[in-house]
């Protein structure tokens, strides 16, 4: 058995939360319809994403949040790949560097 394997373990929380979800058979047609996104909801969400991308591209820092002039907070989480090609290339180089550094360290440790 390798040394690090003896310390590996899985644990589970002692707290369990159960959420009861009603069957659609128990809901009215109005309740069923209100649980789905409307065309208006989808359009508003698309507009919000476009506004977030525009704000992200204008921003100089690499923060994942920004505030519009009216105080609304925008989140760029999940949109990082749309920042710019230069940003993506820099991120990929950094990721490759970290990955290769970890692998070389592991290789040295195994010798």
């Amino acid at each position: 058995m390798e040394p690090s394997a003896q310390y590996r373990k899985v644990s589970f929380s002692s707290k369990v939360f159960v959420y009861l979800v009603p069957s659609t058979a128990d809901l009215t047609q109005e309740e069923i319809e209100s649980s789905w996104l409307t065309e208006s909801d989808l359009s508003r969400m698309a507009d919000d994403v476009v506004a977030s991308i525009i704000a992200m591209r204008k921003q100089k820092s690499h923060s994942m949040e920004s505030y519009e002039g009216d105080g609304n907070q925008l989140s760029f989480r999940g949109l990082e790949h749309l920042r710019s090609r230069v940003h993506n290339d820099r991120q990929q180089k950094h990721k490759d560097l970290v990955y290769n550094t970890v692998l070389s360290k592991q290789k040295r440790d195994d010798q």
Side-chain angles (χ1 to χ4, degrees):
M1 181 184 284
E2 58 185 23
S4 62
Q6 64 184 336
Y7 298 109
R8 294 181 185 179
K9 66 179 183 175
V10 175
S11 62
F12 298 93
S13 174
S14 60
K15 296 179 183 178
V16 177
F17 297 98
V18 177
Y19 297 96
L20 299 178
V21 179
S23 166
T24 54
D26 298 332
L27 299 176
T28 66
Q29 187 62 33
E30 183 181 344
E31 290 171 322
I32 293 171
E33 289 173 5
S34 70
S35 65
W36 291 93
L37 294 174
T38 65
E39 288 296 323
S40 173
D41 294 331
L42 295 173
S43 178
R44 183 179 37 76
M45 290 167 58
D47 291 345
D48 289 347
V49 168
V50 170
S52 293
I53 292 168
I54 290 169
M56 177 176 60
R57 288 182 175 173
K58 287 180 180 178
Q59 186 174 332
K60 299 292 183 201
S61 74
H62 292 290
S63 168
M64 293 310 297
E65 294 179 346
S66 178
Y67 293 89
E68 293 182 312
D70 59 5
N72 287 336
Q73 184 176 5
L74 302 173
S75 175
F76 305 146
R77 189 100 173 118
L79 301 173
E80 300 92 342
H81 65 286
L82 298 172
R83 183 178 293 276
S84 73
R85 182 175 208 97
V86 171
H87 176 77
N88 288 346
D89 291 345
R90 193 176 314 133
Q91 286 287 94
Q92 187 60 49
K93 286 178 184 175
H94 182 262
K95 191 183 293 186
D96 291 344
L97 175 65
V98 170
Y99 182 77
N100 290 329
T101 301
V102 170
L103 289 179
S104 66
K105 171 73 170 126
Q106 288 175 344
K107 191 174 186 178
R108 282 195 311 269
D109 288 348
D110 288 341
Q111 294 177 354

